[in-house]
């Protein structure tokens, strides 16, 4: 056993052993010992202005780095404020460890101030939730929490530390952190998958959020180029294959009759790589149920009547694709690529023409297509865009494409408004040398506006672009789709965003013409701290897109 210390000191030593560099959160009375222990640590505690924002910061940090982001809150209302961000991380497959305080164990059996069953509340939205019952358990609990959070498929884990246990004396040491290698795919499943791939007449690859892991993306690109099969990505799979690659067929999941969805309708084999059903229900793209499906993922496919898997290739995605690539090499000598990707050129060009169609439009308020053309030009291939949830997310999903994986973060599992601003803080801390842009609706921005102060205090240049329309635009779009143009009352008033930014000590600008977007964006990225850019948006384009391409397919 190690030397004697306070339990909260041991807890912090265990966090250090896990490589934790930042903790995001709000302390309370019940985790005071842990906070004082952190003062003597190399771990930086980032004081946030709302627990939900702290969880979103940790969510984005974990999603980008693959290393669990850590957030902290006190008991009761602190814990309940965390839960939306924790649920978002869990459903969007981001590794996250949240730490909550708890009341003295001597009063947990009865009605007591702020005491509630935090562990029970978090169980449905985490991979594991555990209270510390004895200080000597701390090394095991912390090691297990990080191991589970980071294991594929990653997600959220909760550790609860009651205040009386945190101050007890304990002897112990952190457990060593060992790497767990993921199992390889079964060779029979690989052989069956190869058989289907080689014999398919019109296959298509669907890349989901599991495909944006670095090694997986590399092998997916190799597989697509070897076979000549086109790749459509989900909202969360952007950059798995570069937008400049002929094999990239861009994004599925928005409109019912979008070009890529029509290609999906016609294919006889879908090769789903790292695809989660929460991203885009198969009931929307496999209505007849006649397609053969090869599911390649870290975990077995979810059971769904619209997702009848022909072959379930379970294991490390990169390894599974490597095995398939090698098997095709042996089987198809002199016959590769198996398909002519040039046959998809017309589809690709139709989409590229769409992306560029409004790039010079001078209308004001500004069309979504024009905004995103200017945004894509302003950001480099490794820069990071985070989209909040709202009508703008639909436009980002279709019109903003990526060269590299994990450079566009969209919450499309849990789909929580308020994600992008705090998420951008996490992204900038993870990658301080990259440009980071949060694209928000005016509603989603105001849901976590308080943590603009956190960004100001940290002196980090995140840029927050607000699409200003003065209403819940996505709800309106959906209602108009469903009820012959009718919608409920959805309009609201906004503050003066320039003045709001300045009141926080941030740079702020509201553009007054379409031509101002690009130079204002460039100026925003030159600021020493956070910048806020409000862009009045023309959401009259929503129904025009629906009229051309069918109803919104993705649920909101």
């Amino acid at each position: 056993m190690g030397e004697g210390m306070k339990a909260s000191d041991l807890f912090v030593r265990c966090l250090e052993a896990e490589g934790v560099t930042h903790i995001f959160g709000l302390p309370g009375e019940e985790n005071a010992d842990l906070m004082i222990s952190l003062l003597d640590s190399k771990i930086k505690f980032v004081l946030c202005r709302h627990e939900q924002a702290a969880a979103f910061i940790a969510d984005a940090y974990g999603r980008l780095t693959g290393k669990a982001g850590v957030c902290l809150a006190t008991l009761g209302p602190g814990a309940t404020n965390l839960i939306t961000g924790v649920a978002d991380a869990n459903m969007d497959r981001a590794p996250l460890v949240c730490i909550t305080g708890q009341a003295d164990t001597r009063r947990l059996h009865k009605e007591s101030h702020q005491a509630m069953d935090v562990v029970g509340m978090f169980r449905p939205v985490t991979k594991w939730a555990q209270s510390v019952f004895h200080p000597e358990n701390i090394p095991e609990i912390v090691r297990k929490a990080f191991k589970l959070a980071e294991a594929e498929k990653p997600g959220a884990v909760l550790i609860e530390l009651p205040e009386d246990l945190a101050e007890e004396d304990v002897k112990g040491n952190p457990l060593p952190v060992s790497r767990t290698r993921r199992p390889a795919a079964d060779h029979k499943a690989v052989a069956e998958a190869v058989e289907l791939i080689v014999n398919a007449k019109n296959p298509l690859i669907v890349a989901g959020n599991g495909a944006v892991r670095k090694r997986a993306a590399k092998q997916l690109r190799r597989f697509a180029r070897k076979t000549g099969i086109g790749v459509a990505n989900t909202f969360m799979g952007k950059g798995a294959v570069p937008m400049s690659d002929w094999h990239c067929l861009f994004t599925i999941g928005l409109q019912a009759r979008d070009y890529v969805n029509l290609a999906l309708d016609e294919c006889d084999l879908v090769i789903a790589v790292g695809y989660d059903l929460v991203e885009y229900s198969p009931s929307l793209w496999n209505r007849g149920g006649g397609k053969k499906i090869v599911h390649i993922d870290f975990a077995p496919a979810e059971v769904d009547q619209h997702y009848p898997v022909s072959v379930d290739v379970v294991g490390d995605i990169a390894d599974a694709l490597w095995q398939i690539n090698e098997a095709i090499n042996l089987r198809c000598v002199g016959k590769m690529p198996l398909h002519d990707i040039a046959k998809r050129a017309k589809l690709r060009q139709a989409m590229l023409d769409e992306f560029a169609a409004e790039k010079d439009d001078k209308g004001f308020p500004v069309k979504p297509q024009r905004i995103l053309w200017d945004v894509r030009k302003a950001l480099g291939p490794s820069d990071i865009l985070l989209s909040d949830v709202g009508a703008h997310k639909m436009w980002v999903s279709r019109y903003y494409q990526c060269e590299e994986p994990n450079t566009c973060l969209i919450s499309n599992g849990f789909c929580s408004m308020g994600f992008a601003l705090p998420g951008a803080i996490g992204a900038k801390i993870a990658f301080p040398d990259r440009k980071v842009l949060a694209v928000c609706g005016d509603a989603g921005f105001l849901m976590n506006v308080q943590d603009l102060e956190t960004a100001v205090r940290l002196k980090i240049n995140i840029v927050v672009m607000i699409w200003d329309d003065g209403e819940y635009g996505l709800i309106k779009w959906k209602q108009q789709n469903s009820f012959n143009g009718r919608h409920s009352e959805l309009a609201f008033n906004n503050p003066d965003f320039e003045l709001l930014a300045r009141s926080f000590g941030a740079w702020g600008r509201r553009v007054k013409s379409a031509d101002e977007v690009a130079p204002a964006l460039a100026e925003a990225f030159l600021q020493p701290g956070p910048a806020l850019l409000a862009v009045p948006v023309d959401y009259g384009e929503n129904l025009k897109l629906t009229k051309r391409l069918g109803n919104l397919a993705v649920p909101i």
Side-chain angles (χ1 to χ4, degrees), residues 22-332:
H22 293 80
I23 297 176
F24 311 100
L26 275 75
E29 182 181 350
E30 285 73 17
N31 47 25
D33 286 283
L34 186 62
M35 295 305 302
I36 299 304
S37 295
L38 281 170
L39 291 178
D40 299 320
S41 164
K42 294 179 181 178
I43 298 172
K44 179 177 176 59
F45 182 78
V46 178
L47 186 69
C48 301
R49 303 304 302 273
H50 194 287
E51 291 89 351
Q52 184 187 109
F56 281 136
I57 294 171
D59 173 351
Y61 181 94
R63 206 181 308 192
L64 286 167
T65 63
K67 185 69 188 167
V70 183
C71 56
L72 177 144
T74 189
L75 79 172
T80 58
N81 279 351
L82 272 181
I83 199 164
T84 297
V86 172
D88 188 84
N90 199 54
M91 197 170 277
D92 283 357
R93 311 298 191 184
L96 179 145
V97 171
C98 59
I99 302 164
T100 57
Q102 184 53 282
D104 191 307
T105 56
R106 288 165 292 197
R107 65 181 177 95
L108 289 179
H109 64 288
K110 60 187 177 182
E111 184 177 303
S112 180
H113 179 67
Q114 290 192 320
M116 57 175 288
D117 184 2
V118 173
V119 170
M121 183 177 69
F122 274 74
R123 277 200 179 109
V125 297
T126 56
K127 294 176 74 174
W128 186 58
Q130 182 61 48
S131 186
V132 176
F133 294 132
H134 195 284
E136 290 181 4
N137 298 150
I138 286 172
E140 289 182 349
I141 289 172
V142 173
R143 178 77 283 268
K144 182 174 180 179
F146 280 84
K147 185 174 183 176
L148 287 176
E150 294 170 3
E152 290 289 351
K153 293 184 173 188
V157 169
L158 168 77
I159 305 174
E160 176 185 80
L161 182 61
E163 60 177 332
D164 56 322
L165 299 186
E167 63 185 13
E168 285 189 16
D169 291 331
V170 65
K171 289 185 178 181
N173 288 304
L175 296 182
V177 177
S178 57
R179 183 178 179 184
T180 302
R181 292 196 172 272
R182 292 185 286 271
D186 177 76
H187 65 97
K188 291 182 180 178
V190 170
E192 289 176 29
V194 169
E195 190 70 24
L196 286 173
I197 292 164
V198 168
N199 291 308
K201 302 298 182 188
N202 189 23
L204 194 71
I205 298 166
V206 172
N209 79 75
V212 296
R213 315 290 193 268
K214 273 189 179 178
R215 291 176 56 252
K218 180 179 178 181
Q219 289 298 329
L220 175 60
R221 295 171 186 191
R222 183 172 168 236
F223 173 63
R225 291 161 186 164
K226 185 182 299 294
T227 59
I229 301 174
V231 181
N233 57 257
T234 65
F235 289 11
M236 295 172 68
K238 286 176 178 290
V241 171
M243 59 183 284
S244 58
D245 192 313
W246 277 33
H247 297 81
C248 178
L249 304 182
F250 309 115
T251 307
I252 59 168
L254 182 57
Q255 306 284 162
R257 296 193 305 273
D258 208 340
Y259 303 115
V260 188
N261 290 63
L262 295 177
L264 194 56
D265 288 344
E266 296 167 359
C267 73
D268 60 340
L269 175 69
V270 172
I271 304 157
V273 181
Y275 161 74
D276 284 337
L277 273 64
V278 296
E279 296 186 72
Y280 180 40
S281 171
S283 65
L284 297 167
W285 58 261
N286 192 25
R287 292 180 181 87
K291 302 183 197 308
K292 292 180 179 177
I293 296 172
V294 173
H295 178 85
I296 304 172
D297 205 0
F298 302 103
E302 173 65 283
V303 175
D304 186 294
Q305 63 177 332
H306 298 285
Y307 197 65
V309 173
S310 306
V311 183
D312 216 348
V313 184
V314 181
D316 180 83
I317 292 176
D319 175 78
L321 289 170
W322 180 84
Q323 286 192 58
I324 290 170
N325 281 328
E326 294 304 300
I328 291 174
N329 277 347
L330 292 173
R331 178 162 174 175
C332 302

Side-chain angles (χ1 to χ4, degrees), residues 386-388 392 420-421 438-445 464-468:
L386 299 92
S387 173
D388 214 87
H392 64 282
L421 189 163
V439 177
C440 305
D442 42 13
F445 167 74
V464 181
M465 175 186 274
I466 302 168
W467 289 24
D468 184 0

